[in-house]
């Protein structure tokens, strides 16, 4: 009996033993993933949400995935390594690939780095991150021969990969609210509030983190509606607070241009000659009203996730508006 009591007093996890030794981080990730989830729970989730209540419901459904992400983050920190690979299927390459995970674009919490899953998970072959791969997958789903696509980016991986697969793709860079350039470094530029394209000339518009860079985003939505063909779609991402009904404005137009009313936040550009763009607002759910006021017949947010395809992060969301 005394011997049994002594054995029970021994801690289950001894801190003087490194349990990860002898097991590669990549192997540990696979073991953990299959301990957390059944195969059917690892497929792509694409969930429509239109208000804070639906967003909170989705939050509760996704908690198990964030527990998994936190577990991977702790394992990564424990190894002392800067990088590891997560294995899954790349929709761009259409093959199984290793996805690089590191601390680039990481946020810090209580002195600890938190992996930015949406901006990392970079495919070793096509070099697209999680967010880019998902959006390319959506474009491939929406495309059929004969459709014309307008991409609100030109000097990016997304554009480069898309033009290899689809014939009729037009891309441009947004120079900013004070930019009058129509071309820089051989790259075509457009003002998203005054597009040069003809009415109803495109079947699909895609904008990744662009509309937050103008306080006149309603005008930008109206222009998108104008150049879309009837039955066409606008797909886009923006900085978004799913718990807020109202958009939080961070900058407004003054006599001499944009004036920040919150701490300045800039997004860097893929084209060196274009200055970083100021983030003018973090959108709330009133973005759907703004889209409908611009003419769109239907608009919604969609939360996506998928362990098999390495789409991860805290409630990653994109928006879809139909004409």
């Amino acid at each position: 009996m005394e011997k049994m009591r002594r054995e029970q007093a021994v801690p289950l996890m001894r801190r003087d033993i490194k349990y990860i030794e002898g097991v590669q981080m990549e192997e540990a990730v696979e073991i953990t993933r299959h301990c957390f989830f059944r195969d059917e729970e690892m497929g792509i989730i694409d969930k429509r949400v239109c208000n804070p209540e639906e967003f909170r419901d989705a939050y509760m459904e996704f908690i198990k995935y964030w527990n998994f992400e936190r577990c991977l983050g702790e394992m990564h920190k424990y190894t002392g390594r800067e990088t590891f690979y997560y294995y899954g299927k790349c929709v761009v390459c259409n093959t199984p690939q290793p996805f690089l995970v590191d601390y680039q674009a990481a946020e810090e919490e209580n002195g600890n780095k938190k992996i930015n899953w949406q901006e990392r998970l970079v495919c070793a072959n096509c070099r697209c991150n999680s967010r880019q791969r998902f959006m390319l997958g959506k474009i491939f789903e929406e495309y059929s021969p004969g459709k014309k696509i307008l991409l609100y980016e030109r000097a990016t991986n997304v554009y480069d990969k898309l033009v290899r697969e689809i014939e009729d793709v037009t891309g441009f860079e947004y120079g900013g609210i004070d930019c009058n350039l129509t071309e820089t470094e051989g790259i075509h530029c457009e003002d998203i509030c005054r597009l040069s394209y003809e009415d109803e000339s495109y079947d699909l518009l895609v904008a990744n983190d662009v509309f937050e860079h103008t306080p006149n985003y309603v005008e930008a939505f109206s222009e998108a509606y104008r150049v879309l063909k009837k039955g066409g779609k606008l797909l886009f991402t923006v900085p978004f607070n799913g718990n807020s009904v109202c958009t939080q404005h961070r900058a407004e137009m003054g006599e001499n241009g944009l004036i920040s009313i919150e701490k300045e936040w800039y997004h860097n550009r893929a084209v060196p000659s274009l200055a970083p763009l100021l983030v003018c607002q973090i959108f709330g759910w009133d973005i759907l009203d703004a889209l409908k006021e611009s003419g769109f017949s239907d608009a919604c947010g969609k939360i996506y996730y998928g362990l098999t395809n390495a789409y991860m992060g805290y409630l990653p969301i994109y928006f879809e508006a139909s004409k």
Side-chain angles (χ1 to χ4, degrees):
M1 181 65 71
E2 183 64 27
K3 181 180 178 181
M4 184 179 295
R5 278 196 291 267
R6 284 199 304 271
E7 288 176 348
Q8 288 175 342
V10 175
L12 292 176
M13 290 288 287
R14 287 176 53 190
R15 298 302 178 186
D16 60 329
I17 297 176
K18 293 186 177 180
Y19 288 89
I20 201 74
E21 284 186 349
V23 178
Q24 291 293 323
M25 178 64 186
E26 287 74 13
E27 294 175 309
V29 169
E30 284 300 300
I31 293 168
T32 305
R33 181 164 67 170
H34 286 280
C35 286
F36 267 82
F37 304 104
R38 300 185 301 274
D39 288 346
E40 59 268 25
E41 295 178 296
M42 298 188 200
I44 297 174
I45 301 168
D46 201 355
K47 184 179 180 65
R48 180 184 173 109
V49 288
C50 295
N51 53 56
E53 291 74 25
E54 292 178 355
F55 188 82
R56 283 193 288 270
D57 290 343
Y59 174 90
M60 298 305 296
E61 291 179 27
F62 278 66
I63 284 178
K64 59 185 178 183
Y65 295 105
W66 302 325
N67 287 336
F68 170 66
E69 289 179 10
R70 283 194 292 270
C71 184
L72 297 194
E74 286 297 315
M75 289 195 299
H76 187 203
K77 177 184 173 183
Y78 191 67
T79 65
R81 292 167 51 183
E82 284 297 312
T83 65
F84 72 92
Y85 285 96
Y86 179 103
Y87 289 86
K89 182 179 179 181
C90 178
V91 69
V92 181
C93 304
N94 199 30
T95 56
Q97 292 291 337
F99 300 107
L100 177 69
V101 181
D102 56 26
Y103 290 117
Q104 286 191 38
E107 297 180 357
E108 287 202 14
E109 186 177 88
N110 300 321
N112 295 316
K113 291 182 179 179
K114 294 177 63 179
I115 296 167
N116 189 328
W117 298 101
Q118 287 175 260
E119 296 302 317
R120 301 315 293 155
L121 286 163
V122 178
C123 175
N125 186 50
C126 70
R127 309 305 300 169
C128 292
N129 66 21
S130 177
R131 174 177 54 82
Q132 292 168 331
R133 287 184 288 103
F134 177 80
M135 193 56 73
L136 280 163
K138 292 303 297 182
I139 296 171
F140 295 151
E141 283 180 21
E142 294 289 340
Y143 177 74
S144 58
K147 284 189 174 182
K148 297 178 66 177
I149 299 173
L150 179 62
L151 201 61
Y152 285 48
E153 56 191 285
R154 174 61 179 79
T156 66
N157 265 348
V158 173
Y159 177 85
D160 291 343
K161 304 305 177 188
L162 200 58
V163 293
R164 293 179 185 178
E165 302 290 337
I166 296 175
E167 181 178 354
D168 207 339
V169 178
T170 302
F172 69 84
E173 289 289 334
Y174 173 48
I177 199 163
D178 298 320
C179 180
N180 296 316
L181 293 174
T182 56
E183 185 174 310
T184 181
E185 299 183 35
I187 303 295
H188 179 63
C189 298
E190 287 276 343
D191 181 347
I192 58 174
C193 295
R194 290 181 292 276
L195 295 172
S196 64
Y197 309 108
E198 295 181 359
D199 294 357
E200 299 190 354
S201 51
Y202 290 95
D203 300 278
L204 181 66
L205 273 59
V206 181
N208 295 309
D209 286 11
V210 178
F211 293 122
E212 68 270 22
H213 296 303
T214 174
N216 304 320
Y217 57 88
V218 175
E219 292 180 30
F221 290 158
S222 297
E223 276 294 275
Y225 179 84
R226 180 183 66 79
V227 302
L228 261 182
K229 294 180 182 179
K230 190 171 183 180
K233 283 185 180 180
L234 167 65
L235 303 178
F236 67 95
T237 60
V238 288
F240 180 73
N241 181 358
N243 296 311
S244 177
V245 173
C246 300
T247 292
Q248 176 197 354
H249 297 277
R250 302 177 60 88
E252 58 188 23
M253 285 301 298
E255 292 182 1
N256 299 314
L258 281 174
I259 300 174
S260 292
I261 55 179
E262 298 283 348
K263 183 179 178 181
E264 292 182 345
W265 176 17
Y266 288 91
H267 283 170
N268 291 324
R269 312 300 307 281
V271 182
S273 58
L274 294 176
L277 289 175
L278 184 67
V279 175
C280 298
Q281 55 269 325
I282 298 175
F283 289 95
W285 286 105
D286 54 359
I287 190 174
L288 301 184
D289 295 328
L291 287 163
K292 290 174 182 177
E293 288 170 11
S294 301
F296 290 96
S297 61
D298 183 51
C300 67
K302 288 190 173 181
I303 293 170
Y304 67 92
Y305 203 90
L307 293 174
T308 300
N309 295 78
Y311 303 143
M312 295 163 63
Y314 172 76
L315 284 178
I317 189 169
Y318 70 99
F319 289 88
E320 180 178 287
S322 302
K323 182 170 181 178

